[in-house]
């Protein structure tokens, strides 16, 4: 059994990342089998509860107000609409429901109170509830925890060195501070990044270095392939090859063996064989549903076929929870 280490050096990570790809996959698959059931894949659903109009300048993001994209701005959705969507996601087999808001940070206002209601409602349906709302203070993290939040997504996106080329309206340390507040509140941490933004291999290694040297590894690590969106500064970026996704996923799997590694944005451009390679390399979570936040994701039928062909099954909710969530009777919607 491989140990969980929080003292990986950049050189060690680079040696793993740069190893011959078939050796890399073999090693990652071996580590994966020591810590996880390789037939099991977590199925998560995303919902954009507040879309567009964001004041930040993240170069990849179609929701930044300053770029002219086709995304329609939408104010915070109503609680009952969100709960109906969560219920549908549960019915179609999702065990984690993640609500995203195009905010720079959470403000203590009526919108936040509504989000807390959404968290309560989804938790009561027996799903792992996750949010990604931008920066959080310690007390906001505690409020979310008390409402039943299971996980919080807050990506580092890239290396500390490349961060300023992608985002200028906040710092890497702001990101790390929020991750600290989430951890402190006892919420499961979800943090990863994006490849294909013009970063170097060293930057990818640098991001994995920061994640794997956190005092505790994130429980989930999303690996996104950039979805280039017209109107954003990264609209012309070429597609990342499957081998780059595989290297990233496999390295994350080896250095953070217990984490759920999520094959996130970019699946829509991958065939079954390419996705199978990612699962072999240690990915064990996906986003299902025909939309991510604003961009397309594979149709339900495609994913059903994917699961059948590869003999994989969805992971149950709360498998790693220290204590099960309080699950009330299912509320009919
Ligand atoms: N506003 C919050 C924040 O930035 O933390 C939450 C929502 S934000 C859209 C969540 C994550 O989506 C980003 O951190 C980024 O990793 C990912 N993302 C956004 N646009 C993307 C794109 N075009 N391709 C791939 N991933 C993207
Ligand atoms: C993550 O790492 N990827 C998801 C989720 N966390 C919030 C978001 C992907 C967004 C892709 C672009 C879009 O659909 O707007
Ligand atoms: Fe705003 Fe988040 Fe998009 Fe950045 S990634 S522009 S913070 S919604």
């Amino acid at each position: 059994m491989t140990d969980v280490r929080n003292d990986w050096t950049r050189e060690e990570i680079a040696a793993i990342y740069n190893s011959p790809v078939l050796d890399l996959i073999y090693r990652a698959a071996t580590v994966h089998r020591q810590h996880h059931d390789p037939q099991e894949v977590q199925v998560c659903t995303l919902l954009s509860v507040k879309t567009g109009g964001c004041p930040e300048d993240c170069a990849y993001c179609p929701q930044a107000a300053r770029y002219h994209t086709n995304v329609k701005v939408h104010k915070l959705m109503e609680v009952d609409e969100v709960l109906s969507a969560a219920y549908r996601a549960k019915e179609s087999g999702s065990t984690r429901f993640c609500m995203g808001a195009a905010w720079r940070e959470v403000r203590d206002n009526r919108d936040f109170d509504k989000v807390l209601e959404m968290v309560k409602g989804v938790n009561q349906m027996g799903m792992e509830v996750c949010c990604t709302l931008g920066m959080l203070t310690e007390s906001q993290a505690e409020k979310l925890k008390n409402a039943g939040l299971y996980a919080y997504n807050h990506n580092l996106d890239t290396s500390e060195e490349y961060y300023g080329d992608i985002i200028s309206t906040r710092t890497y340390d702001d990101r790390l501070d929020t991750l600290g507040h989430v951890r402190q509140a006892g919420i499961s941490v979800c943090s990863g990044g994006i490849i294909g933004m013009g970063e170097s291999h060293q930057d990818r290694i640098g991001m994995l270095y920061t994640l794997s040297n956190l005092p505790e590894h994130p429980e989930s690590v999303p690996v996104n392939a950039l979805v280039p969106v017209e109107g954003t500064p990264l609209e012309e970026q070429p597609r990342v090859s499957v081998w780059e996704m595989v290297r990233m996923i496999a390295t994350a799997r080896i250095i953070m063996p217990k984490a759920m590694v999520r094959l996130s944005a970019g699946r829509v451009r991958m065939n079954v064989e390419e996705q199978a390679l990612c699962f072999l390399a240690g990915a064990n979570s996906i986003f299902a549903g025909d939309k991510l936040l604003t961009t397309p994701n594979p149709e339900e039928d495609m994913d059903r076929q994917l699961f059948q062909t590869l003999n994989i099954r969805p992971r149950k909710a709360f498998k790693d929870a220290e204590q099960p969530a309080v699950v009330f009777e299912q509320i009919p919607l």
Side-chain angles (χ1 to χ4, degrees):
M1 183 73 86
T2 43
D3 291 337
V4 174
R5 287 178 46 194
N6 302 68
D7 61 353
W8 291 97
T9 65
R10 279 178 196 258
E11 291 69 32
E12 285 175 310
I13 299 172
I16 296 169
Y17 179 92
N18 290 315
S19 57
V21 75
L22 297 180
D23 283 351
L24 176 60
I25 294 174
Y26 178 73
R27 181 169 169 192
T30 308
V31 172
H32 190 180
R33 279 155 179 72
Q34 288 169 354
H35 293 271
H36 303 267
D37 174 348
Q39 251 79 55
E40 210 174 67
V41 169
Q42 179 188 43
V43 181
C44 317
T45 295
L46 270 174
L47 177 69
S48 181
V49 296
K50 187 268 167 184
T51 308
C54 182
E56 300 279 77
D57 69 352
C58 312
Y60 49 76
C61 189
Q63 302 197 66
R66 66 191 72 203
Y67 310 135
H68 300 285
T69 65
N70 286 329
V71 168
K72 279 209 192 85
V73 177
H74 196 295
K75 69 174 174 48
L76 188 66
M77 288 171 71
E78 294 304 328
V79 177
D80 57 350
E81 282 178 276
V82 172
L83 296 187
S84 310
Y87 189 75
R88 285 195 299 275
K90 182 177 171 158
E91 291 288 281
S92 62
S94 265
T95 51
R96 178 174 288 199
F97 190 69
C98 180
M99 300 180 279
W103 287 332
R104 169 182 160 76
E105 75 243 301
V106 167
R107 305 257 168 92
D108 295 293
N109 58 17
R110 296 231 303 271
D111 273 358
F112 185 42
D113 294 340
K114 265 197 195 174
V115 170
L116 294 172
E117 286 303 309
M118 294 170 191
V119 169
K120 269 188 204 148
V122 178
N123 181 40
Q124 286 175 357
M125 280 177 206
M127 274 200 275
E128 295 177 17
V129 51
C130 174
C131 281
T132 182
L133 313 168
M135 293 184 267
L136 290 183
T137 63
E138 256 177 79
S139 82
Q140 290 164 343
E142 265 165 37
K143 282 185 189 158
L144 284 163
K145 171 74 184 173
N146 292 337
L149 190 76
Y150 187 75
Y152 195 78
N153 166 254
H154 200 64
N155 290 338
L156 289 181
D157 283 336
T158 188
S159 67
E160 185 162 14
E161 295 75 20
Y162 195 57
Y163 203 72
D165 287 31
I166 296 296
I167 299 149
S168 76
T169 48
R170 57 169 188 255
T171 65
Y172 215 60
D173 278 344
D174 290 333
R175 250 9 219 180
L176 291 168
D177 285 349
T178 294
L179 289 179
H181 299 154
V182 171
R183 179 60 80 206
Q184 187 69 30
I187 298 169
S188 177
V189 172
C190 171
S191 188
I194 308 177
I195 63 169
M197 303 191 294
E199 72 289 339
S200 65
H201 293 292
Q202 273 313 315
D203 290 316
R204 295 178 188 171
I205 291 161
M207 180 184 88
L208 293 173
Y209 168 77
T210 306
L211 290 171
S212 64
N213 276 265
L214 289 171
E216 277 180 76
H217 293 164
E219 282 76 8
S220 54
V221 178
V223 179
N224 295 277
L226 175 76
V227 184
V229 178
E230 212 182 310
T232 63
L234 298 181
E235 64 182 359
E236 302 281 3
Q237 280 299 313
R239 181 190 168 180
V240 296
S241 94
V242 66
W243 303 112
E244 298 182 72
M245 283 300 269
V246 161
R247 277 193 191 281
M248 221 35 212
I249 289 169
T251 309
R253 166 54 64 230
I254 294 166
I255 65 176
M256 294 175 278
K258 287 189 191 296
M260 303 295 293
V261 177
R262 186 168 308 122
L263 170 58
S264 303
R267 272 198 322 118
V268 77
R269 297 208 277 190
M270 294 169 113
N271 61 26
V272 172
E273 292 82 348
E274 289 172 327
Q275 294 183 62
L277 271 177
C278 293
F279 293 131
L280 192 59
N284 58 352
S285 174
I286 56 163
F287 286 118
D290 56 9
K291 212 154 126 200
L292 289 164
L293 289 171
T294 64
T295 64
N297 197 42
E299 302 282 336
E300 209 178 310
D301 257 9
M302 300 284 286
D303 281 343
R304 197 170 301 121
Q305 270 181 35
L306 175 78
F307 274 53
Q308 266 174 14
T309 308
L310 303 181
N311 296 99
I312 47 184
R313 54 183 146 68
R315 168 189 160 108
K316 295 220 161 32
F318 303 110
K319 209 179 158 195
D320 282 342
E322 273 165 24
Q323 50 196 71
V326 188
V327 178
F328 300 88
E329 283 298 293
Q330 212 157 68
I331 21 177
L333 294 163

